[in-house]
Amino acid sequence: MKILLRNFINLLSIGVFETEDTVELMSEYKWNKLLYIAKVNNVQDFINTGIAKTEVANPSLIPQNISHAITVEACRPFETNKANDGYSDFSISRKAKKFSCFYFNHQYEKLVSAEIHNIDTSVESLLLLNKLLGNINSLLNSGLDLRLLADLGTYLRNYGDKIDFVKIDNWIKLLNIKKMASLIGVCLIQIFHFEKEELPFIKYESKKYTRNITSAFEKNLTVQANSAPEINEDNSNSINPISRPNTHPLKYFSYYPLEATSRFISNIIKSLSNIDE
């Protein structure tokens, strides 16, 4: 299983950032599992690009059936599941809440309002903040979103020189997301091999952070691989008819206590509301 996870991560890096990571020889059975994991995580386009580039460099690595499968997939229109997170819209709107906690939403609205009326407004910095918050929201709600993480990393690589990291630091302190932002930064280092110098918003870095993120990520991918059907379409998003409150935010209570608690309470209220309906 370790080789499958290594190949998945390396192909993802190749597809997103055009790195020269090593891809190891696998059976066609494991390649099919890898493609299934890519689909579940909504990154099949990145993985397919990584496979295609790897095949050009070393054709013997990719089984013929896998090569044919990604060629067929490339001919289909691809739609991401990522909703508009307001990356380019900084209007103050109740419909664009970033937090479950009222206090943090209020602080966010204040900082955005102040920045867009600032004489030296930094749109690039606001965009980075929103992308960072999108990743934090995903981590709190359901776990790491590889597509959002790749988007954040790509943005940093393309616009890092235009971002005012002094402002970013101040906003991170204001929203009390120092530990959560550091977690996202560690994800970029562990998965996409970023250098720490590229991520000035990392304020907490320890073996505990690295171990927690790496083990959780590998465990999640392993579960996905083991649950892969025998090439059975659309079987990954089955819905549990019993509505239960999402307890996932509590996993990050030590990193973001007030928001994790607010989100968990909000989930309980939603579950009770669903029962009433």
Side-chain angles (χ1 to χ4, degrees), residues 181-210:
S182 294
L183 269 179
I184 298 301
V186 169
C187 290
L188 285 169
I189 291 173
Q190 291 297 310
I191 298 172
F192 291 123
H193 314 303
F194 270 62
E195 299 293 333
K196 186 180 177 182
E197 293 72 24
E198 297 179 86
L199 310 167
F201 54 82
I202 292 183
K203 302 303 178 186
Y204 293 87
E205 188 180 22
S206 67
K207 290 183 179 179
K208 177 184 176 182
Y209 267 58
T210 303

Side-chain angles (χ1 to χ4, degrees), residues 11 43 47 63-64 75 126 129 207 235 252-253 260 266 270 276:
L11 285 167
V43 292
I47 292 295
Q64 186 175 0
C75 297
L126 284 172
L129 177 66
K207 290 183 179 179
N235 198 35
Y252 299 95
F253 178 82
S266 176
K270 288 179 182 177
D276 290 339

Side-chain angles (χ1 to χ4, degrees), residues 92-122:
I92 305 305
S93 171
R94 291 181 179 272
K95 296 180 180 179
K97 303 264 183 219
K98 302 294 181 183
F99 305 91
S100 290
C101 176
F102 171 81
Y103 172 76
F104 292 132
N105 270 320
H106 179 64
Q107 294 295 85
Y108 172 77
E109 290 175 358
K110 278 176 60 179
L111 78 83
V112 171
S113 181
E115 183 61 20
I116 61 178
H117 292 99
N118 198 325
I119 193 170
D120 62 339
T121 300
S122 175

